[in-house]
Amino acid sequence: MNEPTPRRGTKGERTRARILDSAMELFSRSGFHAVSLRDIAAHAGMTHAGLLHHFPGKDELLIQVLTRREELAAQQVLASADASELGPAEIVVRHLDQIAHNAGTPGLVGLFVKVSGEAADPGHPAHAYFVERYRRLRRRTARLLAVLFEQHDPPLKHDPDAVAQQLLALVDGLQTQWLLDPGEVDMRASVVAFFSQLGLDLE
């Protein structure tokens, strides 16, 4: 269901990685609220007290799981390449490939969709995480789009900030539709079509 965390580092790091893998799988399968720390400890093959030594609270564990998911996605995008050597178009294509890859991890996609919706509540433990995440993604995406628009011949006159918001909203909305009806929704093709409407042929 999820990409396994590499088993390297110290014994403590390996134990934390095992806990995160277990939490990611259980959260993906049953949702955040339905899973207890005792459930995660049992799945990871350790005691409840042992888990608390590494993660004193469920809220902290959730943030670490979300962060881990984002790290895994970044690793897929930049695999076998130096990020400084990738042009903006190639970076976008790799993100498109990551969208297609997500179709093989429905549990993780479902976890993200569910928790990001719940996190709209300011009292949710992941609220601050998602606020900062979207601010960061809007900035990065807008910078990337600005370069793509400027390099196009002739340059495209779209507003990078506005298009960045639209693109992120499109991807998130497609994930929800795909979870509901996967046979009818091709996430990657839909994003490629969006870029085509902007005048960018990434295929």
PDB file of all heavy atoms in Angstrom, residues 31-67:
ATOM      1  N   GLY A  31      -8.396   5.452   8.571  1.00  0.00           N
ATOM      2  CA  GLY A  31      -8.588   6.849   8.935  1.00  0.00           C
ATOM      3  C   GLY A  31      -7.893   7.186  10.234  1.00  0.00           C
ATOM      4  O   GLY A  31      -7.610   6.316  11.060  1.00  0.00           O
ATOM      5  N   PHE A  32      -7.640   8.463  10.421  1.00  0.00           N
ATOM      6  CA  PHE A  32      -6.880   8.918  11.591  1.00  0.00           C
ATOM      7  C   PHE A  32      -7.595   8.640  12.900  1.00  0.00           C
ATOM      8  O   PHE A  32      -7.022   8.125  13.860  1.00  0.00           O
ATOM      9  CB  PHE A  32      -6.593  10.417  11.442  1.00  0.00           C
ATOM     10  CG  PHE A  32      -5.944  11.046  12.646  1.00  0.00           C
ATOM     11  CD1 PHE A  32      -4.643  10.729  12.990  1.00  0.00           C
ATOM     12  CD2 PHE A  32      -6.638  11.963  13.416  1.00  0.00           C
ATOM     13  CE1 PHE A  32      -4.036  11.317  14.095  1.00  0.00           C
ATOM     14  CE2 PHE A  32      -6.050  12.553  14.514  1.00  0.00           C
ATOM     15  CZ  PHE A  32      -4.741  12.232  14.861  1.00  0.00           C
ATOM     16  N   HIS A  33      -8.883   8.967  12.963  1.00  0.00           N
ATOM     17  CA  HIS A  33      -9.601   8.890  14.232  1.00  0.00           C
ATOM     18  C   HIS A  33      -9.880   7.449  14.662  1.00  0.00           C
ATOM     19  O   HIS A  33     -10.019   7.178  15.854  1.00  0.00           O
ATOM     20  CB  HIS A  33     -10.919   9.671  14.145  1.00  0.00           C
ATOM     21  CG  HIS A  33     -10.716  11.155  13.991  1.00  0.00           C
ATOM     22  ND1 HIS A  33     -10.162  11.933  14.978  1.00  0.00           N
ATOM     23  CD2 HIS A  33     -10.972  11.985  12.949  1.00  0.00           C
ATOM     24  CE1 HIS A  33     -10.096  13.187  14.563  1.00  0.00           C
ATOM     25  NE2 HIS A  33     -10.576  13.242  13.330  1.00  0.00           N
ATOM     26  N   ALA A  34      -9.958   6.532  13.719  1.00  0.00           N
ATOM     27  CA  ALA A  34     -10.307   5.149  14.058  1.00  0.00           C
ATOM     28  C   ALA A  34      -9.117   4.327  14.548  1.00  0.00           C
ATOM     29  O   ALA A  34      -9.301   3.219  15.052  1.00  0.00           O
ATOM     30  CB  ALA A  34     -10.938   4.459  12.847  1.00  0.00           C
ATOM     31  N   VAL A  35      -7.925   4.865  14.422  1.00  0.00           N
ATOM     32  CA  VAL A  35      -6.711   4.125  14.774  1.00  0.00           C
ATOM     33  C   VAL A  35      -6.121   4.691  16.060  1.00  0.00           C
ATOM     34  O   VAL A  35      -5.974   5.908  16.202  1.00  0.00           O
ATOM     35  CB  VAL A  35      -5.668   4.218  13.640  1.00  0.00           C
ATOM     36  CG1 VAL A  35      -4.375   3.520  14.045  1.00  0.00           C
ATOM     37  CG2 VAL A  35      -6.223   3.616  12.362  1.00  0.00           C
ATOM     38  N   SER A  36      -5.798   3.815  16.993  1.00  0.00           N
ATOM     39  CA  SER A  36      -5.188   4.243  18.255  1.00  0.00           C
ATOM     40  C   SER A  36      -3.683   4.013  18.217  1.00  0.00           C
ATOM     41  O   SER A  36      -3.166   3.268  17.377  1.00  0.00           O
ATOM     42  CB  SER A  36      -5.789   3.460  19.423  1.00  0.00           C
ATOM     43  OG  SER A  36      -5.370   2.105  19.382  1.00  0.00           O
ATOM     44  N   LEU A  37      -2.993   4.631  19.164  1.00  0.00           N
ATOM     45  CA  LEU A  37      -1.555   4.398  19.270  1.00  0.00           C
ATOM     46  C   LEU A  37      -1.266   2.942  19.600  1.00  0.00           C
ATOM     47  O   LEU A  37      -0.249   2.387  19.174  1.00  0.00           O
ATOM     48  CB  LEU A  37      -0.952   5.321  20.325  1.00  0.00           C
ATOM     49  CG  LEU A  37      -0.884   6.810  19.955  1.00  0.00           C
ATOM     50  CD1 LEU A  37      -0.301   7.620  21.115  1.00  0.00           C
ATOM     51  CD2 LEU A  37      -0.058   7.032  18.693  1.00  0.00           C
ATOM     52  N   ARG A  38      -2.159   2.312  20.377  1.00  0.00           N
ATOM     53  CA  ARG A  38      -1.977   0.882  20.687  1.00  0.00           C
ATOM     54  C   ARG A  38      -2.086   0.041  19.414  1.00  0.00           C
ATOM     55  O   ARG A  38      -1.355  -0.946  19.255  1.00  0.00           O
ATOM     56  CB  ARG A  38      -3.006   0.441  21.724  1.00  0.00           C
ATOM     57  CG  ARG A  38      -2.789   1.067  23.097  1.00  0.00           C
ATOM     58  CD  ARG A  38      -3.766   0.518  24.131  1.00  0.00           C
ATOM     59  NE  ARG A  38      -3.617   1.186  25.414  1.00  0.00           N
ATOM     60  CZ  ARG A  38      -2.685   0.879  26.318  1.00  0.00           C
ATOM     61  NH1 ARG A  38      -1.835  -0.106  26.072  1.00  0.00           N
ATOM     62  NH2 ARG A  38      -2.605   1.547  27.457  1.00  0.00           N
ATOM     63  N   ASP A  39      -3.004   0.417  18.526  1.00  0.00           N
ATOM     64  CA  ASP A  39      -3.116  -0.295  17.245  1.00  0.00           C
ATOM     65  C   ASP A  39      -1.815  -0.196  16.456  1.00  0.00           C
ATOM     66  O   ASP A  39      -1.332  -1.179  15.878  1.00  0.00           O
ATOM     67  CB  ASP A  39      -4.252   0.300  16.404  1.00  0.00           C
ATOM     68  CG  ASP A  39      -5.622   0.104  17.020  1.00  0.00           C
ATOM     69  OD1 ASP A  39      -5.802  -0.897  17.745  1.00  0.00           O
ATOM     70  OD2 ASP A  39      -6.502   0.950  16.779  1.00  0.00           O
ATOM     71  N   ILE A  40      -1.262   1.004  16.417  1.00  0.00           N
ATOM     72  CA  ILE A  40      -0.038   1.231  15.651  1.00  0.00           C
ATOM     73  C   ILE A  40       1.119   0.456  16.269  1.00  0.00           C
ATOM     74  O   ILE A  40       1.921  -0.165  15.563  1.00  0.00           O
ATOM     75  CB  ILE A  40       0.278   2.733  15.586  1.00  0.00           C
ATOM     76  CG1 ILE A  40      -0.837   3.465  14.817  1.00  0.00           C
ATOM     77  CG2 ILE A  40       1.628   2.977  14.922  1.00  0.00           C
ATOM     78  CD1 ILE A  40      -0.778   4.970  14.926  1.00  0.00           C
ATOM     79  N   ALA A  41       1.202   0.485  17.602  1.00  0.00           N
ATOM     80  CA  ALA A  41       2.272  -0.239  18.285  1.00  0.00           C
ATOM     81  C   ALA A  41       2.196  -1.729  17.979  1.00  0.00           C
ATOM     82  O   ALA A  41       3.215  -2.376  17.678  1.00  0.00           O
ATOM     83  CB  ALA A  41       2.182   0.005  19.793  1.00  0.00           C
ATOM     84  N   ALA A  42       0.994  -2.291  18.038  1.00  0.00           N
ATOM     85  CA  ALA A  42       0.828  -3.717  17.762  1.00  0.00           C
ATOM     86  C   ALA A  42       1.221  -4.042  16.324  1.00  0.00           C
ATOM     87  O   ALA A  42       1.889  -5.050  16.055  1.00  0.00           O
ATOM     88  CB  ALA A  42      -0.614  -4.133  18.030  1.00  0.00           C
ATOM     89  N   HIS A  43       0.822  -3.190  15.395  1.00  0.00           N
ATOM     90  CA  HIS A  43       1.148  -3.413  13.993  1.00  0.00           C
ATOM     91  C   HIS A  43       2.652  -3.340  13.768  1.00  0.00           C
ATOM     92  O   HIS A  43       3.203  -4.063  12.917  1.00  0.00           O
ATOM     93  CB  HIS A  43       0.424  -2.379  13.125  1.00  0.00           C
ATOM     94  CG  HIS A  43       0.494  -2.647  11.655  1.00  0.00           C
ATOM     95  ND1 HIS A  43       1.574  -2.281  10.890  1.00  0.00           N
ATOM     96  CD2 HIS A  43      -0.382  -3.247  10.800  1.00  0.00           C
ATOM     97  CE1 HIS A  43       1.367  -2.624   9.635  1.00  0.00           C
ATOM     98  NE2 HIS A  43       0.192  -3.216   9.551  1.00  0.00           N
ATOM     99  N   ALA A  44       3.320  -2.466  14.514  1.00  0.00           N
ATOM    100  CA  ALA A  44       4.763  -2.304  14.373  1.00  0.00           C
ATOM    101  C   ALA A  44       5.550  -3.346  15.155  1.00  0.00           C
ATOM    102  O   ALA A  44       6.785  -3.364  15.102  1.00  0.00           O
ATOM    103  CB  ALA A  44       5.175  -0.905  14.824  1.00  0.00           C
ATOM    104  N   GLY A  45       4.833  -4.208  15.907  1.00  0.00           N
ATOM    105  CA  GLY A  45       5.495  -5.261  16.666  1.00  0.00           C
ATOM    106  C   GLY A  45       6.242  -4.762  17.888  1.00  0.00           C
ATOM    107  O   GLY A  45       7.333  -5.253  18.192  1.00  0.00           O
ATOM    108  N   MET A  46       5.633  -3.794  18.597  1.00  0.00           N
ATOM    109  CA  MET A  46       6.277  -3.248  19.774  1.00  0.00           C
ATOM    110  C   MET A  46       5.219  -2.919  20.825  1.00  0.00           C
ATOM    111  O   MET A  46       4.015  -3.022  20.560  1.00  0.00           O
ATOM    112  CB  MET A  46       7.078  -1.999  19.414  1.00  0.00           C
ATOM    113  CG  MET A  46       6.238  -0.870  18.827  1.00  0.00           C
ATOM    114  SD  MET A  46       7.247   0.462  18.111  1.00  0.00           S
ATOM    115  CE  MET A  46       8.346   0.837  19.470  1.00  0.00           C
ATOM    116  N   THR A  47       5.661  -2.528  22.004  1.00  0.00           N
ATOM    117  CA  THR A  47       4.728  -2.200  23.065  1.00  0.00           C
ATOM    118  C   THR A  47       4.233  -0.776  22.919  1.00  0.00           C
ATOM    119  O   THR A  47       4.862   0.061  22.250  1.00  0.00           O
ATOM    120  CB  THR A  47       5.393  -2.343  24.446  1.00  0.00           C
ATOM    121  OG1 THR A  47       6.444  -1.366  24.556  1.00  0.00           O
ATOM    122  CG2 THR A  47       5.971  -3.747  24.636  1.00  0.00           C
ATOM    123  N   HIS A  48       3.111  -0.501  23.573  1.00  0.00           N
ATOM    124  CA  HIS A  48       2.573   0.854  23.584  1.00  0.00           C
ATOM    125  C   HIS A  48       3.579   1.814  24.208  1.00  0.00           C
ATOM    126  O   HIS A  48       3.806   2.927  23.703  1.00  0.00           O
ATOM    127  CB  HIS A  48       1.251   0.865  24.361  1.00  0.00           C
ATOM    128  CG  HIS A  48       0.587   2.201  24.388  1.00  0.00           C
ATOM    129  ND1 HIS A  48       0.030   2.714  25.538  1.00  0.00           N
ATOM    130  CD2 HIS A  48       0.382   3.133  23.427  1.00  0.00           C
ATOM    131  CE1 HIS A  48      -0.484   3.907  25.279  1.00  0.00           C
ATOM    132  NE2 HIS A  48      -0.288   4.171  24.003  1.00  0.00           N
ATOM    133  N   ALA A  49       4.196   1.396  25.309  1.00  0.00           N
ATOM    134  CA  ALA A  49       5.189   2.238  25.978  1.00  0.00           C
ATOM    135  C   ALA A  49       6.390   2.511  25.069  1.00  0.00           C
ATOM    136  O   ALA A  49       6.944   3.618  25.062  1.00  0.00           O
ATOM    137  CB  ALA A  49       5.648   1.577  27.275  1.00  0.00           C
ATOM    138  N   GLY A  50       6.776   1.496  24.302  1.00  0.00           N
ATOM    139  CA  GLY A  50       7.889   1.677  23.380  1.00  0.00           C
ATOM    140  C   GLY A  50       7.584   2.707  22.309  1.00  0.00           C
ATOM    141  O   GLY A  50       8.430   3.523  21.941  1.00  0.00           O
ATOM    142  N   LEU A  51       6.350   2.684  21.805  1.00  0.00           N
ATOM    143  CA  LEU A  51       5.959   3.672  20.803  1.00  0.00           C
ATOM    144  C   LEU A  51       5.966   5.073  21.397  1.00  0.00           C
ATOM    145  O   LEU A  51       6.434   6.031  20.768  1.00  0.00           O
ATOM    146  CB  LEU A  51       4.576   3.331  20.251  1.00  0.00           C
ATOM    147  CG  LEU A  51       4.053   4.233  19.121  1.00  0.00           C
ATOM    148  CD1 LEU A  51       3.182   3.438  18.163  1.00  0.00           C
ATOM    149  CD2 LEU A  51       3.242   5.409  19.665  1.00  0.00           C
ATOM    150  N   LEU A  52       5.453   5.211  22.632  1.00  0.00           N
ATOM    151  CA  LEU A  52       5.385   6.527  23.262  1.00  0.00           C
ATOM    152  C   LEU A  52       6.772   7.117  23.504  1.00  0.00           C
ATOM    153  O   LEU A  52       6.926   8.341  23.589  1.00  0.00           O
ATOM    154  CB  LEU A  52       4.625   6.430  24.588  1.00  0.00           C
ATOM    155  CG  LEU A  52       3.130   6.127  24.474  1.00  0.00           C
ATOM    156  CD1 LEU A  52       2.519   5.972  25.855  1.00  0.00           C
ATOM    157  CD2 LEU A  52       2.410   7.226  23.695  1.00  0.00           C
ATOM    158  N   HIS A  53       7.763   6.271  23.596  1.00  0.00           N
ATOM    159  CA  HIS A  53       9.132   6.755  23.762  1.00  0.00           C
ATOM    160  C   HIS A  53       9.573   7.547  22.534  1.00  0.00           C
ATOM    161  O   HIS A  53      10.351   8.506  22.639  1.00  0.00           O
ATOM    162  CB  HIS A  53      10.075   5.570  23.991  1.00  0.00           C
ATOM    163  CG  HIS A  53      11.525   5.951  24.027  1.00  0.00           C
ATOM    164  ND1 HIS A  53      12.092   6.624  25.091  1.00  0.00           N
ATOM    165  CD2 HIS A  53      12.532   5.762  23.107  1.00  0.00           C
ATOM    166  CE1 HIS A  53      13.376   6.829  24.834  1.00  0.00           C
ATOM    167  NE2 HIS A  53      13.666   6.317  23.645  1.00  0.00           N
ATOM    168  N   HIS A  54       9.073   7.145  21.369  1.00  0.00           N
ATOM    169  CA  HIS A  54       9.454   7.808  20.119  1.00  0.00           C
ATOM    170  C   HIS A  54       8.448   8.868  19.687  1.00  0.00           C
ATOM    171  O   HIS A  54       8.836   9.894  19.120  1.00  0.00           O
ATOM    172  CB  HIS A  54       9.603   6.766  19.008  1.00  0.00           C
ATOM    173  CG  HIS A  54      10.720   5.793  19.243  1.00  0.00           C
ATOM    174  ND1 HIS A  54      12.032   6.077  18.951  1.00  0.00           N
ATOM    175  CD2 HIS A  54      10.710   4.532  19.766  1.00  0.00           C
ATOM    176  CE1 HIS A  54      12.791   5.043  19.269  1.00  0.00           C
ATOM    177  NE2 HIS A  54      12.019   4.084  19.757  1.00  0.00           N
ATOM    178  N   PHE A  55       7.177   8.618  19.934  1.00  0.00           N
ATOM    179  CA  PHE A  55       6.112   9.553  19.548  1.00  0.00           C
ATOM    180  C   PHE A  55       5.159   9.698  20.733  1.00  0.00           C
ATOM    181  O   PHE A  55       4.277   8.856  20.926  1.00  0.00           O
ATOM    182  CB  PHE A  55       5.354   9.041  18.315  1.00  0.00           C
ATOM    183  CG  PHE A  55       6.186   8.973  17.074  1.00  0.00           C
ATOM    184  CD1 PHE A  55       6.751   7.775  16.666  1.00  0.00           C
ATOM    185  CD2 PHE A  55       6.416  10.108  16.311  1.00  0.00           C
ATOM    186  CE1 PHE A  55       7.529   7.701  15.524  1.00  0.00           C
ATOM    187  CE2 PHE A  55       7.201  10.045  15.159  1.00  0.00           C
ATOM    188  CZ  PHE A  55       7.758   8.841  14.763  1.00  0.00           C
ATOM    189  N   PRO A  56       5.313  10.748  21.524  1.00  0.00           N
ATOM    190  CA  PRO A  56       4.508  10.884  22.739  1.00  0.00           C
ATOM    191  C   PRO A  56       3.026  11.154  22.493  1.00  0.00           C
ATOM    192  O   PRO A  56       2.221  11.039  23.422  1.00  0.00           O
ATOM    193  CB  PRO A  56       5.163  12.066  23.465  1.00  0.00           C
ATOM    194  CG  PRO A  56       5.867  12.834  22.393  1.00  0.00           C
ATOM    195  CD  PRO A  56       6.313  11.808  21.398  1.00  0.00           C
ATOM    196  N   GLY A  57       2.649  11.503  21.256  1.00  0.00           N
ATOM    197  CA  GLY A  57       1.243  11.785  20.992  1.00  0.00           C
ATOM    198  C   GLY A  57       0.841  11.432  19.574  1.00  0.00           C
ATOM    199  O   GLY A  57       1.668  11.394  18.656  1.00  0.00           O
ATOM    200  N   LYS A  58      -0.431  11.162  19.397  1.00  0.00           N
ATOM    201  CA  LYS A  58      -0.948  10.777  18.088  1.00  0.00           C
ATOM    202  C   LYS A  58      -0.901  11.945  17.098  1.00  0.00           C
ATOM    203  O   LYS A  58      -0.660  11.748  15.902  1.00  0.00           O
ATOM    204  CB  LYS A  58      -2.386  10.271  18.247  1.00  0.00           C
ATOM    205  CG  LYS A  58      -2.989   9.646  17.003  1.00  0.00           C
ATOM    206  CD  LYS A  58      -4.391   9.133  17.329  1.00  0.00           C
ATOM    207  CE  LYS A  58      -5.120   8.677  16.077  1.00  0.00           C
ATOM    208  NZ  LYS A  58      -6.513   8.282  16.379  1.00  0.00           N
ATOM    209  N   ASP A  59      -1.118  13.159  17.604  1.00  0.00           N
ATOM    210  CA  ASP A  59      -1.094  14.320  16.718  1.00  0.00           C
ATOM    211  C   ASP A  59       0.287  14.496  16.086  1.00  0.00           C
ATOM    212  O   ASP A  59       0.405  14.749  14.879  1.00  0.00           O
ATOM    213  CB  ASP A  59      -1.469  15.591  17.486  1.00  0.00           C
ATOM    214  CG  ASP A  59      -2.924  15.593  17.925  1.00  0.00           C
ATOM    215  OD1 ASP A  59      -3.675  14.700  17.496  1.00  0.00           O
ATOM    216  OD2 ASP A  59      -3.293  16.479  18.708  1.00  0.00           O
ATOM    217  N   GLU A  60       1.324  14.364  16.892  1.00  0.00           N
ATOM    218  CA  GLU A  60       2.684  14.479  16.366  1.00  0.00           C
ATOM    219  C   GLU A  60       2.957  13.386  15.341  1.00  0.00           C
ATOM    220  O   GLU A  60       3.594  13.625  14.304  1.00  0.00           O
ATOM    221  CB  GLU A  60       3.702  14.383  17.497  1.00  0.00           C
ATOM    222  CG  GLU A  60       5.149  14.459  17.009  1.00  0.00           C
ATOM    223  CD  GLU A  60       6.164  14.170  18.096  1.00  0.00           C
ATOM    224  OE1 GLU A  60       5.770  14.124  19.284  1.00  0.00           O
ATOM    225  OE2 GLU A  60       7.344  13.969  17.770  1.00  0.00           O
ATOM    226  N   LEU A  61       2.464  12.201  15.612  1.00  0.00           N
ATOM    227  CA  LEU A  61       2.674  11.084  14.696  1.00  0.00           C
ATOM    228  C   LEU A  61       2.001  11.359  13.353  1.00  0.00           C
ATOM    229  O   LEU A  61       2.560  11.065  12.291  1.00  0.00           O
ATOM    230  CB  LEU A  61       2.130   9.797  15.318  1.00  0.00           C
ATOM    231  CG  LEU A  61       2.329   8.498  14.525  1.00  0.00           C
ATOM    232  CD1 LEU A  61       3.801   8.289  14.179  1.00  0.00           C
ATOM    233  CD2 LEU A  61       1.792   7.321  15.322  1.00  0.00           C
ATOM    234  N   LEU A  62       0.799  11.925  13.383  1.00  0.00           N
ATOM    235  CA  LEU A  62       0.095  12.245  12.144  1.00  0.00           C
ATOM    236  C   LEU A  62       0.912  13.220  11.299  1.00  0.00           C
ATOM    237  O   LEU A  62       1.055  13.027  10.085  1.00  0.00           O
ATOM    238  CB  LEU A  62      -1.273  12.848  12.453  1.00  0.00           C
ATOM    239  CG  LEU A  62      -2.042  13.398  11.241  1.00  0.00           C
ATOM    240  CD1 LEU A  62      -2.361  12.293  10.257  1.00  0.00           C
ATOM    241  CD2 LEU A  62      -3.323  14.102  11.691  1.00  0.00           C
ATOM    242  N   ILE A  63       1.452  14.256  11.916  1.00  0.00           N
ATOM    243  CA  ILE A  63       2.243  15.232  11.174  1.00  0.00           C
ATOM    244  C   ILE A  63       3.461  14.570  10.547  1.00  0.00           C
ATOM    245  O   ILE A  63       3.818  14.834   9.399  1.00  0.00           O
ATOM    246  CB  ILE A  63       2.686  16.387  12.091  1.00  0.00           C
ATOM    247  CG1 ILE A  63       1.460  17.092  12.695  1.00  0.00           C
ATOM    248  CG2 ILE A  63       3.536  17.382  11.311  1.00  0.00           C
ATOM    249  CD1 ILE A  63       0.480  17.611  11.693  1.00  0.00           C
ATOM    250  N   GLN A  64       4.099  13.665  11.287  1.00  0.00           N
ATOM    251  CA  GLN A  64       5.264  12.965  10.761  1.00  0.00           C
ATOM    252  C   GLN A  64       4.890  12.058   9.595  1.00  0.00           C
ATOM    253  O   GLN A  64       5.655  11.916   8.633  1.00  0.00           O
ATOM    254  CB  GLN A  64       5.945  12.157  11.871  1.00  0.00           C
ATOM    255  CG  GLN A  64       6.601  13.001  12.938  1.00  0.00           C
ATOM    256  CD  GLN A  64       7.699  13.883  12.385  1.00  0.00           C
ATOM    257  OE1 GLN A  64       8.493  13.452  11.557  1.00  0.00           O
ATOM    258  NE2 GLN A  64       7.741  15.127  12.842  1.00  0.00           N
ATOM    259  N   VAL A  65       3.707  11.433   9.665  1.00  0.00           N
ATOM    260  CA  VAL A  65       3.240  10.592   8.565  1.00  0.00           C
ATOM    261  C   VAL A  65       2.999  11.439   7.314  1.00  0.00           C
ATOM    262  O   VAL A  65       3.394  11.066   6.199  1.00  0.00           O
ATOM    263  CB  VAL A  65       1.954   9.843   8.964  1.00  0.00           C
ATOM    264  CG1 VAL A  65       1.267   9.236   7.733  1.00  0.00           C
ATOM    265  CG2 VAL A  65       2.269   8.738   9.962  1.00  0.00           C
ATOM    266  N   LEU A  66       2.355  12.588   7.478  1.00  0.00           N
ATOM    267  CA  LEU A  66       2.100  13.471   6.337  1.00  0.00           C
ATOM    268  C   LEU A  66       3.404  13.975   5.737  1.00  0.00           C
ATOM    269  O   LEU A  66       3.556  14.037   4.511  1.00  0.00           O
ATOM    270  CB  LEU A  66       1.230  14.648   6.784  1.00  0.00           C
ATOM    271  CG  LEU A  66      -0.196  14.309   7.214  1.00  0.00           C
ATOM    272  CD1 LEU A  66      -0.871  15.524   7.839  1.00  0.00           C
ATOM    273  CD2 LEU A  66      -1.018  13.800   6.039  1.00  0.00           C
ATOM    274  N   THR A  67       4.344  14.318   6.599  1.00  0.00           N
ATOM    275  CA  THR A  67       5.650  14.777   6.132  1.00  0.00           C
ATOM    276  C   THR A  67       6.361  13.668   5.366  1.00  0.00           C
ATOM    277  O   THR A  67       6.977  13.899   4.315  1.00  0.00           O
ATOM    278  CB  THR A  67       6.512  15.236   7.313  1.00  0.00           C
ATOM    279  OG1 THR A  67       5.840  16.294   8.000  1.00  0.00           O
ATOM    280  CG2 THR A  67       7.875  15.723   6.838  1.00  0.00           C
TER     281      THR A  67
END
